[in-house]
Amino acid sequence: MKKALIRMTISAVAMTFAIGTGASVLAADIPCSTAKLIVPWGAGGDTDILFRTFVDIYNKKEIKPALQVVNIGGQGGNKGAKEAVGARPDGCTLFAIHQSAITSYFTGRVDFTWDAFEPLTVLTRTPAIIGAHPSVPYNDAKGMVAYAKEHPGEVLAGVTLGSTSQFFFLLMEDAADVKFKHIPYEGTRERMTALLANNINLGEINLAAAKQYIQTNELKALGISSEKRYPQLPELPTLKEQGYDVVYGTDRGLMLPKDTPNDVLAHYSEAAKTVTSDPEYIKAIEAKGTEIIYMSPEATTEYFKKTYAHWERVAKKLGFYKRKN
């Protein structure tokens, strides 16, 4: 009996050490050799690339089960979300999420939101930059707000209706007591094209996609939504510095189906922590103009609760909330 207990203790320690060092290990009863990570956006986009970077490092560490990205695009991320929400809670399906799970619920495009899943982790934050065409007569967020107040309804902001790109401008409108005219586009690429062509005045842009245009003066950067100035654009003031309490980013994380067992949740949480502390992963993510903000399942739950409550208030105030209940 004593020898058996010693063997069990050694086995438990070895298992803990193995996942911490990336060795091959199955720390929970997960009945698949490869789990699928549903990314509900098309291959090759910013979100897909960031999650594939995570999966590449995860698999290099030989954590079991392995992960495979499955892209299910369409309906602004909702097609993939509908499949993920109905998946079996056995650890063989993970779901890539960001705040579109909240905005899609507000607009009635789906009848469930973040709490239909088991929160696992928030991995990264990509802060938003207010980009402007060089022809606009202002050079920062303060000037933009002053101009918009003097010319109500004339400042054109490119958005994807019902998406986080639109909600970013709603947060700005709420903080600055101003109103922009929202011009709809299908996605990020279309908004960027319109902004460069001077078909719109403003657009939400990110550092990785727009840095070259900022450096060549093809776009103006009016402010960034990070808490502090961003290392890759140290001369660009934050929105908070300019007097607007808007700290925002596209916050990408992972969820599991509802009622996933705690040991499976703990397994993937520890795996995510291991990946996000890897130097190769950190370098790759930061090169894409994105921050690593690993959160535990508990912190992830609190994050979504607070974000939902704040955004719900803004959505109802500004007419974005379309739900009947």
Side-chain angles (χ1 to χ4, degrees):
M1 177 66 72
K2 187 176 181 180
K3 289 182 179 179
L5 287 172
I6 290 172
R7 284 196 298 269
M8 289 172 64
T9 301
I10 292 172
S11 177
V13 170
M15 181 174 288
T16 301
F17 176 78
I19 192 168
T21 56
S24 177
V25 64
L26 181 62
D29 185 17
I30 302 174
C32 53
S33 59
T34 300
K36 64 180 179 181
L37 169 56
I38 294 176
V39 176
W41 295 279
D46 292 343
T47 296
D48 177 64
I49 290 169
L50 289 170
F51 280 112
R52 284 181 182 274
T53 302
F54 175 87
V55 168
D56 286 347
I57 301 299
Y58 175 103
N59 286 336
K60 280 184 180 180
K61 293 183 175 298
E62 299 183 339
I63 301 169
K64 302 300 180 183
L67 287 182
Q68 180 178 4
V69 171
V70 176
N71 295 98
I72 304 178
Q75 303 172 16
N78 295 319
K79 185 176 179 180
K82 290 172 185 175
E83 177 159 335
V85 79
R88 293 180 62 182
D90 57 4
C92 292
T93 302
L94 293 86
F95 178 55
I97 195 170
H98 63 49
Q99 300 102 314
S100 67
I102 297 175
T103 59
S104 291
Y105 180 73
F106 288 165
T107 57
R109 299 181 72 186
V110 290
D111 59 3
F112 60 89
T113 184
W114 69 273
D115 57 1
F117 300 93
E118 294 292 347
L120 174 59
T121 185
V122 175
L123 295 169
T124 62
R125 165 169 288 180
T126 305
I129 296 171
I130 300 181
H133 190 269
S135 63
V136 299
Y138 37 82
N139 297 307
D140 56 23
K142 279 188 175 181
M144 173 194 71
V145 168
Y147 184 88
K149 287 183 175 180
E150 292 172 3
H151 302 81
E154 294 183 22
V155 178
L156 309 182
V159 303
T160 298
L161 294 177
S163 74
T164 54
S165 68
Q166 183 177 25
F167 210 85
F168 171 61
F169 279 107
L170 294 179
L171 292 170
M172 192 68 203
E173 290 174 10
D174 179 59
D177 191 24
V178 70
K179 182 66 179 174
F180 306 115
K181 185 174 182 180
H182 295 191
I183 307 299
Y185 290 92
E186 180 64 27
T188 303
R189 182 178 301 174
E190 291 80 4
R191 295 196 309 270
M192 177 73 78
T193 299
L195 188 58
L196 290 166
N198 200 22
N199 294 328
I200 52 176
N201 308 122
L202 307 175
E204 179 213 359
I205 60 178
N206 64 65
L207 184 62
K211 186 176 180 180
Q212 60 175 318
Y213 300 114
I214 295 169
Q215 292 175 333
T216 57
N217 298 316
E218 293 174 80
L219 291 177
K220 288 182 180 180
L222 307 183
I224 189 167
S225 65
S226 50
E227 182 73 44
K228 299 178 181 179
R229 292 201 181 198
Y230 215 67
Q232 296 186 48
L233 285 177
E235 72 287 353
L236 180 62
T238 67
L239 297 174
K240 201 168 182 179
E241 275 182 78
Q242 298 183 66
Y244 310 110
D245 189 15
V246 178
V247 176
Y248 163 88
T250 301
D251 297 337
R252 298 175 173 94
L254 298 172
M255 296 275 181
L256 288 162
K258 200 72 171 176
D259 299 322
T260 295
N262 288 336
D263 63 333
V264 176
L265 194 68
H267 169 76
Y268 281 120
S269 175
E270 187 64 29
K273 188 176 182 180
T274 299
V275 172
T276 54
S277 62
D278 182 90
E280 183 181 353
Y281 177 76
I282 293 169
K283 183 178 179 180
I285 294 300
E286 290 180 347
K288 295 174 174 61
T290 295
E291 306 170 57
I292 294 171
I293 54 167
Y294 166 80
M295 293 184 192
S296 68
E298 296 78 15
T300 302
T301 300
E302 286 305 306
Y303 160 83
F304 273 99
K305 282 182 180 178
K306 290 180 179 179
T307 300
Y308 182 94
H310 178 203
W311 286 27
E312 183 181 44
R313 178 191 65 79
V314 173
K316 289 181 175 179
K317 176 184 175 182
L318 298 180
F320 185 86
Y321 193 91
K322 307 298 183 184
R323 299 199 62 81
K324 301 298 182 183
N325 57 339

